[in-house]
Amino acid sequence: MQVTRDTFNDVMVPNYNPAAMVPVRGEGSKVWDQEGREYIDFAGGIAVNVLGHCHPELVKALNEQGNKIWHLSNVFTNEPALRLAKKLTDATFADKVYFANSGAEANEAALKLARRYAIDHFGNDKDQIISFKQGFHGRTFFTVTVGGQPAYSDGFGPKPGAIEHCDYNNLEMLADMMSDRTCAIMMEPLQGEGGIIVPDPAFVKGVRELCDKHNALLIFDEVQSGVGRTGHLYAYMGLGVAPDILTTAKSLGGGFPIGAMLATDKVSASLKPGTHGSTYGGNPLACAVAEKALDIINQPEVLEGVLRKETLYRDILKKINDKYQVFSEVRGKGMLLGCAMNEKYQGRARDFMIAANDNGLMCLVAGMNVVRFAPSLVIPDEDIIEGLARFEKAVASVVASEQDNN
Ligand SMILES: *Cc1c(COP(=O)(O)O)cnc(C)c1O
């Protein structure tokens, strides 16, 4: 059967508007479309393909597990899930793990756990959940309401209640909003979708102190920032502040769908048998691939490589910007970088992304004003250099069309 981008409009729900080309094959940080055209991948899905496409060791883990057992319900446990949980708890603050299939599901579990924990220990009135404007936590109705972009949660009828939003990096405002009624704070320790916003370390420390003062749980949503992306296994490790609950997905499976919620013993005890669950959560294929991805990423050479590659990106991006004057700054950490548009190019990040695509480079935006790069953590330096050469051509074409318009 011959399918093309046009088929999309015939058979798919119109909630997405995908690019004109259809990718069919990937290897490392390169992707080819139906016409055999090559792209360098600085998008990695959306910060997912953490070891590039078809990494041989991930393919091997998938095939080996595929020949053993694919699926068991949670009526049974399985070896890959237990091994992955052991490795995640050994590597982090957490004592316990709950597996889900996506970031939103991991966050849904985290929010339900926080509410149940508060009810168990402090009673029904401790229900206030505070999160941050521009934050993103997924698209289920609970998580999208906790997210800080009302445009994503409006228009679906009554929302889950007792959810409030604070300005990111504004400790004073948060202190004013919190009380003994506060159940939990949910935050990204580096805002991804909201525009690659790095938190002030003093703000993060202050949030932890306020949570302790009010017996509120601190939930770090590391769905985008986790699994080596910032050069630390999890971003919290670079901030020196541990949460009570952490969620992880995207990079965790290297492209195989999986999410997880990590928590301390004390907090996780509130998810007693029957309180929450998932048909697929802890699927052996997903856990086998994630275990291998974690083994590879959680090595000092790989994590140090992330910071070295960040420097390479920043050096070349600075040269591009010196020449064309399009960004106000390059921000972010490790392999999660954002080029913020300057005054002149406000609202035009998408134009740069489309021009990049036309020049053989896949990248992302984060809102209207930021071009986002979330490549593989092991992207070869020559692919960074070639990808940014293509990006420079894209920048040149947007700048030229701007001048034509004037
Ligand atoms: C992508 C993302 C989510 C949602 O993950 P899904 O797998 O799409 O459900 C949640 N939180 C953050 C910070 C994300 O970047």
Coordinates of all heavy atoms in Angstrom, one line a residue, residues 101-105 107 136-139 188 192-193 221-224 249-250, ligand 1:
N101 N 3.5 4.4 30.9 CA 3.8 4.3 29.4 C 4.2 5.6 28.8 O 4.5 5.7 27.6 CB 2.7 3.7 28.7 CG 2.2 2.4 29.3 OD1 2.9 1.4 29.3 ND2 1.0 2.5 29.9
S102 N 4.1 6.7 29.6 CA 4.3 8.0 29.0 C 4.6 9.0 30.1 O 4.4 8.6 31.3 CB 3.1 8.5 28.2 OG 2.0 8.7 29.1
G103 N 5.0 10.2 29.7 CA 5.2 11.2 30.7 C 4.0 11.6 31.5 O 3.9 11.8 32.7
A104 N 2.9 11.8 30.7 CA 1.6 12.2 31.3 C 1.2 11.2 32.3 O 0.7 11.6 33.4 CB 0.6 12.4 30.2
E105 N 1.3 9.9 32.0 CA 0.9 8.9 32.9 C 1.7 8.8 34.2 O 1.2 8.6 35.3 CB 0.9 7.5 32.2 CG -0.2 7.3 31.3 CD -0.1 5.9 30.7 OE1 0.3 4.9 31.4 OE2 -0.4 5.7 29.5
N107 N 3.2 11.4 35.4 CA 2.7 12.6 36.2 C 1.3 12.4 36.9 O 1.1 12.9 38.0 CB 2.7 13.9 35.3 CG 4.1 14.4 35.1 OD1 5.0 14.2 35.9 ND2 4.3 15.1 34.0
F136 N 4.9 22.5 31.6 CA 4.1 21.4 30.8 C 4.3 20.1 31.5 O 5.4 19.7 31.9 CB 4.7 21.3 29.4 CG 3.9 20.4 28.5 CD1 2.7 20.8 28.0 CD2 4.4 19.1 28.3 CE1 2.0 19.9 27.2 CE2 3.6 18.2 27.5 CZ 2.4 18.6 27.0
H137 N 3.1 19.4 31.7 CA 3.2 18.1 32.4 C 2.4 17.0 31.7 O 2.3 15.9 32.3 CB 2.7 18.3 33.8 CG 3.4 19.4 34.6 ND1 4.8 19.2 34.9 CD2 3.1 20.6 35.1 CE1 5.2 20.3 35.5 NE2 4.2 21.1 35.6
G138 N 2.0 17.2 30.5 CA 1.3 16.2 29.7 C -0.1 16.6 29.4 O -0.6 17.7 29.6
R139 N -0.9 15.7 28.7 CA -2.2 16.1 28.1 C -3.4 15.3 28.7 O -4.5 15.5 28.2 CB -2.1 15.8 26.6 CG -1.1 16.6 25.9 CD -1.5 18.1 25.7 NE -0.8 18.7 24.6 CZ -1.3 19.6 23.9 NH1 -2.5 20.1 24.0 NH2 -0.5 20.2 22.9
E188 N 9.1 21.6 36.7 CA 10.2 21.1 35.9 C 11.5 21.7 36.4 O 11.6 23.0 36.4 CB 10.0 21.5 34.5 CG 8.8 20.8 33.8 CD 8.4 21.6 32.5 OE1 9.1 21.2 31.5 OE2 7.6 22.4 32.5
G192 N 10.9 22.9 29.7 CA 11.2 22.5 28.3 C 10.3 23.2 27.4 O 10.6 24.1 26.7
E193 N 9.0 22.7 27.3 CA 8.1 23.2 26.3 C 7.9 24.7 26.5 O 7.6 25.4 25.6 CB 6.7 22.5 26.5 CG 6.7 21.0 26.3 CD 7.2 20.6 24.9 OE1 6.8 21.2 23.9 OE2 8.1 19.6 24.8
D221 N 9.2 17.1 37.7 CA 8.8 16.5 36.4 C 10.1 16.6 35.6 O 10.5 17.6 35.1 CB 7.7 17.3 35.8 CG 7.3 16.8 34.4 OD1 8.1 16.0 33.9 OD2 6.3 17.1 33.9
E222 N 10.8 15.4 35.5 CA 12.0 15.4 34.7 C 11.8 14.6 33.4 O 12.7 13.9 32.9 CB 13.2 14.7 35.6 CG 13.6 15.6 36.7 CD 15.1 15.9 36.7 OE1 15.7 15.8 35.6 OE2 15.7 16.0 37.8
V223 N 10.5 14.6 33.0 CA 10.2 13.9 31.7 C 11.1 14.3 30.6 O 11.5 13.5 29.8 CB 8.7 14.1 31.4 CG1 8.4 13.5 30.0 CG2 7.9 13.3 32.5
Q224 N 11.4 15.6 30.5 CA 12.2 16.2 29.4 C 13.7 16.3 29.9 O 14.6 16.1 29.1 CB 11.7 17.5 28.9 CG 12.4 18.0 27.7 CD 11.5 18.9 26.8 OE1 12.1 19.5 25.9 NE2 10.2 18.9 26.9
A249 N 10.4 10.0 31.6 CA 9.9 9.3 30.5 C 10.7 9.7 29.3 O 11.9 9.5 29.3 CB 8.4 9.7 30.2
K250 N 10.2 10.2 28.2 CA 10.9 10.6 27.0 C 12.2 9.8 26.8 O 12.2 8.8 26.2 CB 11.2 12.1 27.0 CG 9.9 12.9 26.8 CD 10.1 14.3 26.2 CE 8.8 14.9 25.7 NZ 8.1 15.8 26.7
Ligands
LIG1 C1 6.7 15.8 27.1 C2 6.5 16.1 28.6 C3 5.4 15.5 29.3 C4 4.4 14.6 28.7 O1 5.0 13.4 28.3 P1 4.1 12.4 27.3 O2 5.0 11.2 27.1 O3 3.9 13.2 26.0 O4 2.8 12.1 28.0 C5 5.4 15.8 30.6 N1 6.2 16.6 31.2 C6 7.2 17.2 30.6 C7 8.2 18.1 31.3 C8 7.4 17.0 29.2 O5 8.4 17.6 28.5

